[in-house]
Amino acid sequence: MPQQEENKRIPTLLDQPRNPILKSRGKSMFFGISDERTGNVLALKLVSSTGTQRAVHYHDIHSPMDFNGESEIILLTSSLKITIKGRNLEQLFDYIIQHRVLWIKEPQDSFAVPEGSEVEINTIHFEEG
């Protein structure tokens, strides 16, 4: 499609209801990743079960980033320790170290978690310091 025709479609795309699939790739209800073609993400948005949100720029996250091999990821900034707990977090950790995770969110309740889901987030904990 010629660029001119694509540009004409922009207003209709903006008027469409917001759809999370337009913002991120993947099928997980716990995190969204960027498309490889778009490159690295600038910030990681963390959403609590109550809906409060916090964003951390990837450039503020210090090395090393820690993963215990199964259920806990720890990210440090100069003023914050972020602990993400769940199950099968290896894939999520890999996406984090590639700066591709757009958002991570806690489930609103434990009954909302589908059985057999590959990655499961239980809690996101912030410790100021």
Side-chain angles (χ1 to χ4, degrees):
M1 177 179 302
Q3 185 65 42
Q4 190 175 18
E5 287 181 38
E6 283 188 42
N7 290 345
K8 289 179 184 176
R9 292 183 50 219
I10 290 173
T12 57
L13 290 172
L14 294 175
D15 287 337
Q16 291 178 355
R18 292 195 176 225
N19 183 342
I21 195 104
L22 297 176
K23 291 185 175 183
S24 62
R25 300 283 183 206
K27 300 174 188 172
S28 177
M29 66 180 280
F30 298 104
F31 70 95
I33 58 170
S34 68
D35 190 314
E36 285 183 69
R37 295 173 290 180
T38 62
N40 290 349
V41 177
L42 295 177
L44 171 61
K45 180 167 74 169
L46 302 151
V47 183
S48 76
S49 59
T50 61
T52 58
Q53 300 180 21
R54 194 170 213 171
V56 176
H57 283 98
Y58 273 103
H59 67 78
D60 289 333
I61 299 173
H62 298 290
S63 289
M65 298 178 216
D66 294 319
F67 173 53
N68 72 355
E70 173 61 26
S71 62
E72 185 178 82
I73 296 171
I74 297 176
L75 306 174
L76 298 172
T77 71
S78 59
S79 62
L80 189 63
K81 177 181 178 181
I82 304 162
T83 305
I84 302 163
K85 292 187 178 183
R87 280 186 330 105
N88 303 322
L89 300 180
E90 185 170 357
Q91 181 185 34
L92 175 61
F93 185 67
D94 288 345
Y95 285 134
I96 289 172
I97 62 177
Q98 296 169 22
H99 295 202
R100 291 197 46 218
V101 180
L102 294 163
W103 54 267
I104 300 173
K105 108 177 151 177
E106 293 177 318
Q108 291 184 335
D109 60 56
S110 60
F111 300 111
V113 179
E115 243 183 78
S117 63
E118 290 180 20
V119 174
E120 181 179 313
I121 303 295
N122 295 326
T123 62
I124 301 170
H125 178 73
F126 301 98
E127 189 177 317
E128 304 287 334

